[in-house]
Amino acid sequence: MNLSEVNWDFNYSGNWPLPIKIAAIVLVSLVVGGAGVYFDILDRMAELETSEKQEPELKATFETKQKRAANLESYKEQLAQIEDSLGEMLKQMPTEEEVASLLVDITQTGLASGLEFRLFKPGAPISKDFYSELPISIQVMGKYDELGLFVSGLASLPRIVTVHEVKMSPADKKSGDIIMDAVVKTYNEANTSESAGSGTKKRRGQK
């Protein structure tokens, strides 16, 4: 077969010798197949690059979730402890009926400590998330140790009572008396709905 005698015009490919036809078909198949593989690999390379960029974020997310899953039981125990503590605190909050007697307890604690009350002014309740804050502005006069005894007595009351905004100034240099201005706060469980309020009163009535 003399290759110089072959008409290489593609329009006359039907007249090519059989070996050349086979070679041409193989070559075209390789080119088409190679092009397909090349463009497919480009797409996959782009996907791989995107996945590699996402890998650190996915690893961090996985590690975070894994830690949470590993500590799930610990979180449940902590939640149960918090709920128990909250329940105990709610039990120490005075009901509306008990507020009046608590105010008497506060004044009696001050008098028993040897203090003189110059101001005792309950304020309006302040609503919080699940409770109401009941502030009481007070001004008392007495010795330093009597003031300490008063604050200690408030802390030992059966209901929650806290002392805030404490300011002390000398009343009389000769007597050594001190005037203490403060805001005493107690707390009452808030009733978010009528049914919730009924349930709260019922629970407290059963104590």
Side-chain angles (χ1 to χ4, degrees):
M1 179 178 61
N2 190 351
L3 296 179
S4 60
E5 297 177 354
V6 177
N7 186 353
W8 295 103
D9 189 342
F10 190 76
N11 293 325
Y12 295 96
S13 59
N15 296 325
W16 289 350
L18 181 61
I20 295 178
K21 288 181 180 180
I22 294 173
I25 292 172
V26 171
L27 180 61
V28 170
S29 299
L30 290 175
V31 171
V32 173
V37 171
Y38 175 74
F39 288 111
D40 182 63
I41 289 176
L42 282 182
D43 292 339
R44 294 185 179 276
M45 288 290 290
E47 292 178 2
L48 178 60
E49 185 177 356
T50 302
S51 299
E52 287 178 345
K53 290 180 179 179
Q54 293 177 344
E55 183 180 4
E57 181 180 353
L58 293 174
K59 281 184 176 179
T61 303
F62 173 77
E63 289 176 358
T64 301
K65 291 183 177 181
Q66 186 182 36
K67 289 178 180 178
R68 289 178 180 174
N71 296 325
L72 181 59
E73 291 302 322
S74 177
Y75 289 149
K76 288 181 178 179
E77 292 178 1
Q78 291 177 11
L79 179 59
Q81 292 175 359
I82 292 173
E83 290 176 346
D84 290 341
S85 300
L86 179 59
E88 291 300 319
M89 290 179 64
L90 291 177
K91 290 178 181 178
Q92 294 179 30
M93 291 183 181
T95 62
E96 293 180 1
E97 295 79 6
E98 293 171 333
V99 169
S101 62
L102 178 61
L103 298 181
V104 174
D105 290 342
I106 293 173
T107 55
Q108 287 182 346
T109 301
L111 295 174
S113 301
L115 300 178
E116 175 187 341
F117 274 89
R118 291 190 168 187
L119 175 68
F120 189 88
K121 183 180 179 181
I126 301 172
S127 297
K128 300 293 184 178
D129 291 336
F130 59 92
Y131 64 92
S132 294
E133 189 176 88
L134 309 175
I136 306 164
S137 298
I138 65 169
Q139 184 182 83
V140 293
M141 185 177 70
K143 299 294 190 293
Y144 184 82
D145 57 340
E146 293 172 343
L147 294 174
L149 187 62
F150 173 57
V151 174
S152 177
L154 294 179
S156 62
L157 289 176
R159 299 302 181 185
I160 297 177
V161 177
T162 57
V163 182
H164 306 263
E165 302 176 26
V166 177
K167 296 179 182 178
M168 291 191 289
S169 57
D172 186 350
K173 293 183 179 179
K174 292 182 179 180
S175 65
D177 287 340
I178 298 173
I179 294 176
M180 183 179 78
D181 293 278
V183 177
V184 176
K185 294 182 181 181
T186 185
Y187 307 87
N188 183 28
E189 185 178 359
N191 295 327
T192 57
S193 65
E194 183 176 354
S195 60
S198 300
T200 300
K201 291 180 180 180
K202 182 178 180 181
R203 174 179 61 79
R204 286 176 172 163
Q206 292 175 346
K207 289 189 299 178

PDB file of all heavy atoms in Angstrom, residues 124-144:
ATOM      1  N   ALA A 124     -42.949  49.620  93.975  1.00  0.00           N
ATOM      2  CA  ALA A 124     -43.835  48.849  93.096  1.00  0.00           C
ATOM      3  C   ALA A 124     -43.105  47.600  92.592  1.00  0.00           C
ATOM      4  O   ALA A 124     -41.891  47.637  92.345  1.00  0.00           O
ATOM      5  CB  ALA A 124     -44.272  49.704  91.912  1.00  0.00           C
ATOM      6  N   PRO A 125     -43.819  46.479  92.449  1.00  0.00           N
ATOM      7  CA  PRO A 125     -43.184  45.256  91.929  1.00  0.00           C
ATOM      8  C   PRO A 125     -42.626  45.476  90.525  1.00  0.00           C
ATOM      9  O   PRO A 125     -43.206  46.205  89.719  1.00  0.00           O
ATOM     10  CB  PRO A 125     -44.335  44.239  91.922  1.00  0.00           C
ATOM     11  CG  PRO A 125     -45.340  44.778  92.886  1.00  0.00           C
ATOM     12  CD  PRO A 125     -45.240  46.265  92.802  1.00  0.00           C
ATOM     13  N   ILE A 126     -41.492  44.854  90.252  1.00  0.00           N
ATOM     14  CA  ILE A 126     -40.855  44.931  88.931  1.00  0.00           C
ATOM     15  C   ILE A 126     -40.902  43.530  88.324  1.00  0.00           C
ATOM     16  O   ILE A 126     -40.312  42.588  88.857  1.00  0.00           O
ATOM     17  CB  ILE A 126     -39.397  45.417  89.053  1.00  0.00           C
ATOM     18  CG1 ILE A 126     -39.353  46.798  89.716  1.00  0.00           C
ATOM     19  CG2 ILE A 126     -38.735  45.464  87.681  1.00  0.00           C
ATOM     20  CD1 ILE A 126     -37.949  47.277  90.042  1.00  0.00           C
ATOM     21  N   SER A 127     -41.583  43.405  87.206  1.00  0.00           N
ATOM     22  CA  SER A 127     -41.744  42.092  86.562  1.00  0.00           C
ATOM     23  C   SER A 127     -40.469  41.679  85.848  1.00  0.00           C
ATOM     24  O   SER A 127     -39.875  42.462  85.103  1.00  0.00           O
ATOM     25  CB  SER A 127     -42.901  42.127  85.568  1.00  0.00           C
ATOM     26  OG  SER A 127     -44.118  42.377  86.225  1.00  0.00           O
ATOM     27  N   LYS A 128     -40.053  40.436  86.072  1.00  0.00           N
ATOM     28  CA  LYS A 128     -38.908  39.838  85.384  1.00  0.00           C
ATOM     29  C   LYS A 128     -39.426  38.674  84.546  1.00  0.00           C
ATOM     30  O   LYS A 128     -40.615  38.567  84.272  1.00  0.00           O
ATOM     31  CB  LYS A 128     -37.861  39.385  86.397  1.00  0.00           C
ATOM     32  CG  LYS A 128     -37.309  40.511  87.265  1.00  0.00           C
ATOM     33  CD  LYS A 128     -36.495  41.509  86.459  1.00  0.00           C
ATOM     34  CE  LYS A 128     -35.876  42.579  87.341  1.00  0.00           C
ATOM     35  NZ  LYS A 128     -35.036  43.528  86.582  1.00  0.00           N
ATOM     36  N   ASP A 129     -38.501  37.781  84.110  1.00  0.00           N
ATOM     37  CA  ASP A 129     -38.885  36.678  83.230  1.00  0.00           C
ATOM     38  C   ASP A 129     -39.939  35.776  83.860  1.00  0.00           C
ATOM     39  O   ASP A 129     -40.988  35.535  83.283  1.00  0.00           O
ATOM     40  CB  ASP A 129     -37.650  35.842  82.844  1.00  0.00           C
ATOM     41  CG  ASP A 129     -36.716  36.623  81.942  1.00  0.00           C
ATOM     42  OD1 ASP A 129     -37.201  37.551  81.276  1.00  0.00           O
ATOM     43  OD2 ASP A 129     -35.520  36.320  81.916  1.00  0.00           O
ATOM     44  N   PHE A 130     -39.648  35.247  85.024  1.00  0.00           N
ATOM     45  CA  PHE A 130     -40.568  34.314  85.656  1.00  0.00           C
ATOM     46  C   PHE A 130     -40.836  34.670  87.117  1.00  0.00           C
ATOM     47  O   PHE A 130     -41.350  33.871  87.877  1.00  0.00           O
ATOM     48  CB  PHE A 130     -40.030  32.872  85.573  1.00  0.00           C
ATOM     49  CG  PHE A 130     -38.691  32.688  86.228  1.00  0.00           C
ATOM     50  CD1 PHE A 130     -38.603  32.302  87.551  1.00  0.00           C
ATOM     51  CD2 PHE A 130     -37.525  32.901  85.511  1.00  0.00           C
ATOM     52  CE1 PHE A 130     -37.370  32.144  88.162  1.00  0.00           C
ATOM     53  CE2 PHE A 130     -36.284  32.731  86.124  1.00  0.00           C
ATOM     54  CZ  PHE A 130     -36.213  32.352  87.446  1.00  0.00           C
ATOM     55  N   TYR A 131     -40.476  35.885  87.499  1.00  0.00           N
ATOM     56  CA  TYR A 131     -40.709  36.299  88.878  1.00  0.00           C
ATOM     57  C   TYR A 131     -40.886  37.819  88.925  1.00  0.00           C
ATOM     58  O   TYR A 131     -40.611  38.534  87.949  1.00  0.00           O
ATOM     59  CB  TYR A 131     -39.556  35.880  89.783  1.00  0.00           C
ATOM     60  CG  TYR A 131     -38.231  36.538  89.448  1.00  0.00           C
ATOM     61  CD1 TYR A 131     -37.838  37.726  90.068  1.00  0.00           C
ATOM     62  CD2 TYR A 131     -37.370  35.972  88.505  1.00  0.00           C
ATOM     63  CE1 TYR A 131     -36.638  38.332  89.760  1.00  0.00           C
ATOM     64  CE2 TYR A 131     -36.166  36.578  88.184  1.00  0.00           C
ATOM     65  CZ  TYR A 131     -35.810  37.755  88.812  1.00  0.00           C
ATOM     66  OH  TYR A 131     -34.614  38.360  88.502  1.00  0.00           O
ATOM     67  N   SER A 132     -41.357  38.302  90.052  1.00  0.00           N
ATOM     68  CA  SER A 132     -41.479  39.741  90.290  1.00  0.00           C
ATOM     69  C   SER A 132     -40.503  40.143  91.393  1.00  0.00           C
ATOM     70  O   SER A 132     -40.315  39.425  92.369  1.00  0.00           O
ATOM     71  CB  SER A 132     -42.903  40.101  90.704  1.00  0.00           C
ATOM     72  OG  SER A 132     -43.804  39.859  89.640  1.00  0.00           O
ATOM     73  N   GLU A 133     -39.886  41.282  91.191  1.00  0.00           N
ATOM     74  CA  GLU A 133     -38.929  41.807  92.154  1.00  0.00           C
ATOM     75  C   GLU A 133     -39.639  42.857  93.007  1.00  0.00           C
ATOM     76  O   GLU A 133     -40.290  43.762  92.476  1.00  0.00           O
ATOM     77  CB  GLU A 133     -37.760  42.435  91.396  1.00  0.00           C
ATOM     78  CG  GLU A 133     -36.583  42.831  92.246  1.00  0.00           C
ATOM     79  CD  GLU A 133     -35.455  43.359  91.372  1.00  0.00           C
ATOM     80  OE1 GLU A 133     -35.459  44.571  91.092  1.00  0.00           O
ATOM     81  OE2 GLU A 133     -34.610  42.558  90.947  1.00  0.00           O
ATOM     82  N   LEU A 134     -39.529  42.721  94.325  1.00  0.00           N
ATOM     83  CA  LEU A 134     -40.211  43.635  95.243  1.00  0.00           C
ATOM     84  C   LEU A 134     -39.170  44.451  96.002  1.00  0.00           C
ATOM     85  O   LEU A 134     -38.600  43.987  96.997  1.00  0.00           O
ATOM     86  CB  LEU A 134     -41.080  42.845  96.226  1.00  0.00           C
ATOM     87  CG  LEU A 134     -42.043  41.816  95.601  1.00  0.00           C
ATOM     88  CD1 LEU A 134     -42.748  41.026  96.682  1.00  0.00           C
ATOM     89  CD2 LEU A 134     -43.048  42.523  94.708  1.00  0.00           C
ATOM     90  N   PRO A 135     -38.862  45.677  95.548  1.00  0.00           N
ATOM     91  CA  PRO A 135     -37.831  46.494  96.217  1.00  0.00           C
ATOM     92  C   PRO A 135     -38.397  47.278  97.411  1.00  0.00           C
ATOM     93  O   PRO A 135     -39.542  47.730  97.392  1.00  0.00           O
ATOM     94  CB  PRO A 135     -37.381  47.449  95.102  1.00  0.00           C
ATOM     95  CG  PRO A 135     -38.601  47.621  94.244  1.00  0.00           C
ATOM     96  CD  PRO A 135     -39.368  46.314  94.319  1.00  0.00           C
ATOM     97  N   ILE A 136     -37.568  47.425  98.431  1.00  0.00           N
ATOM     98  CA  ILE A 136     -37.954  48.182  99.627  1.00  0.00           C
ATOM     99  C   ILE A 136     -36.789  49.111  99.970  1.00  0.00           C
ATOM    100  O   ILE A 136     -35.686  48.655 100.283  1.00  0.00           O
ATOM    101  CB  ILE A 136     -38.226  47.250 100.820  1.00  0.00           C
ATOM    102  CG1 ILE A 136     -39.254  46.184 100.444  1.00  0.00           C
ATOM    103  CG2 ILE A 136     -38.703  48.047 102.024  1.00  0.00           C
ATOM    104  CD1 ILE A 136     -39.301  45.018 101.408  1.00  0.00           C
ATOM    105  N   SER A 137     -37.021  50.417  99.901  1.00  0.00           N
ATOM    106  CA  SER A 137     -35.987  51.393 100.257  1.00  0.00           C
ATOM    107  C   SER A 137     -35.997  51.574 101.771  1.00  0.00           C
ATOM    108  O   SER A 137     -37.054  51.822 102.367  1.00  0.00           O
ATOM    109  CB  SER A 137     -36.254  52.736  99.570  1.00  0.00           C
ATOM    110  OG  SER A 137     -36.206  52.589  98.164  1.00  0.00           O
ATOM    111  N   ILE A 138     -34.819  51.447 102.376  1.00  0.00           N
ATOM    112  CA  ILE A 138     -34.732  51.584 103.837  1.00  0.00           C
ATOM    113  C   ILE A 138     -33.596  52.518 104.212  1.00  0.00           C
ATOM    114  O   ILE A 138     -32.637  52.715 103.448  1.00  0.00           O
ATOM    115  CB  ILE A 138     -34.515  50.221 104.540  1.00  0.00           C
ATOM    116  CG1 ILE A 138     -33.152  49.624 104.140  1.00  0.00           C
ATOM    117  CG2 ILE A 138     -35.640  49.249 104.215  1.00  0.00           C
ATOM    118  CD1 ILE A 138     -32.739  48.438 104.979  1.00  0.00           C
ATOM    119  N   GLN A 139     -33.741  53.101 105.374  1.00  0.00           N
ATOM    120  CA  GLN A 139     -32.642  53.853 105.993  1.00  0.00           C
ATOM    121  C   GLN A 139     -32.663  53.509 107.478  1.00  0.00           C
ATOM    122  O   GLN A 139     -33.689  53.690 108.151  1.00  0.00           O
ATOM    123  CB  GLN A 139     -32.806  55.355 105.801  1.00  0.00           C
ATOM    124  CG  GLN A 139     -31.620  56.150 106.356  1.00  0.00           C
ATOM    125  CD  GLN A 139     -31.802  57.650 106.212  1.00  0.00           C
ATOM    126  OE1 GLN A 139     -32.457  58.283 107.054  1.00  0.00           O
ATOM    127  NE2 GLN A 139     -31.219  58.214 105.165  1.00  0.00           N
ATOM    128  N   VAL A 140     -31.573  52.981 107.951  1.00  0.00           N
ATOM    129  CA  VAL A 140     -31.487  52.582 109.357  1.00  0.00           C
ATOM    130  C   VAL A 140     -30.254  53.218 109.977  1.00  0.00           C
ATOM    131  O   VAL A 140     -29.287  53.569 109.286  1.00  0.00           O
ATOM    132  CB  VAL A 140     -31.411  51.040 109.506  1.00  0.00           C
ATOM    133  CG1 VAL A 140     -32.714  50.392 109.084  1.00  0.00           C
ATOM    134  CG2 VAL A 140     -30.251  50.467 108.683  1.00  0.00           C
ATOM    135  N   MET A 141     -30.284  53.345 111.294  1.00  0.00           N
ATOM    136  CA  MET A 141     -29.157  53.936 112.013  1.00  0.00           C
ATOM    137  C   MET A 141     -28.788  53.037 113.189  1.00  0.00           C
ATOM    138  O   MET A 141     -29.659  52.515 113.890  1.00  0.00           O
ATOM    139  CB  MET A 141     -29.516  55.332 112.534  1.00  0.00           C
ATOM    140  CG  MET A 141     -28.336  56.050 113.191  1.00  0.00           C
ATOM    141  SD  MET A 141     -28.766  57.742 113.725  1.00  0.00           S
ATOM    142  CE  MET A 141     -29.868  57.380 115.092  1.00  0.00           C
ATOM    143  N   GLY A 142     -27.503  52.853 113.372  1.00  0.00           N
ATOM    144  CA  GLY A 142     -27.021  52.035 114.477  1.00  0.00           C
ATOM    145  C   GLY A 142     -25.525  51.876 114.403  1.00  0.00           C
ATOM    146  O   GLY A 142     -24.845  52.489 113.569  1.00  0.00           O
ATOM    147  N   LYS A 143     -24.996  51.030 115.285  1.00  0.00           N
ATOM    148  CA  LYS A 143     -23.569  50.752 115.295  1.00  0.00           C
ATOM    149  C   LYS A 143     -23.207  49.816 114.126  1.00  0.00           C
ATOM    150  O   LYS A 143     -24.056  49.136 113.564  1.00  0.00           O
ATOM    151  CB  LYS A 143     -23.176  50.102 116.625  1.00  0.00           C
ATOM    152  CG  LYS A 143     -23.454  50.969 117.848  1.00  0.00           C
ATOM    153  CD  LYS A 143     -22.575  52.213 117.848  1.00  0.00           C
ATOM    154  CE  LYS A 143     -22.678  52.964 119.187  1.00  0.00           C
ATOM    155  NZ  LYS A 143     -24.006  53.550 119.407  1.00  0.00           N
ATOM    156  N   TYR A 144     -21.911  49.778 113.833  1.00  0.00           N
ATOM    157  CA  TYR A 144     -21.440  48.975 112.707  1.00  0.00           C
ATOM    158  C   TYR A 144     -21.778  47.501 112.892  1.00  0.00           C
ATOM    159  O   TYR A 144     -22.241  46.837 111.970  1.00  0.00           O
ATOM    160  CB  TYR A 144     -19.928  49.156 112.533  1.00  0.00           C
ATOM    161  CG  TYR A 144     -19.367  48.434 111.331  1.00  0.00           C
ATOM    162  CD1 TYR A 144     -19.436  48.991 110.071  1.00  0.00           C
ATOM    163  CD2 TYR A 144     -18.754  47.183 111.474  1.00  0.00           C
ATOM    164  CE1 TYR A 144     -18.923  48.341 108.959  1.00  0.00           C
ATOM    165  CE2 TYR A 144     -18.239  46.513 110.375  1.00  0.00           C
ATOM    166  CZ  TYR A 144     -18.332  47.097 109.122  1.00  0.00           C
ATOM    167  OH  TYR A 144     -17.828  46.432 108.027  1.00  0.00           O
TER     168      TYR A 144
END
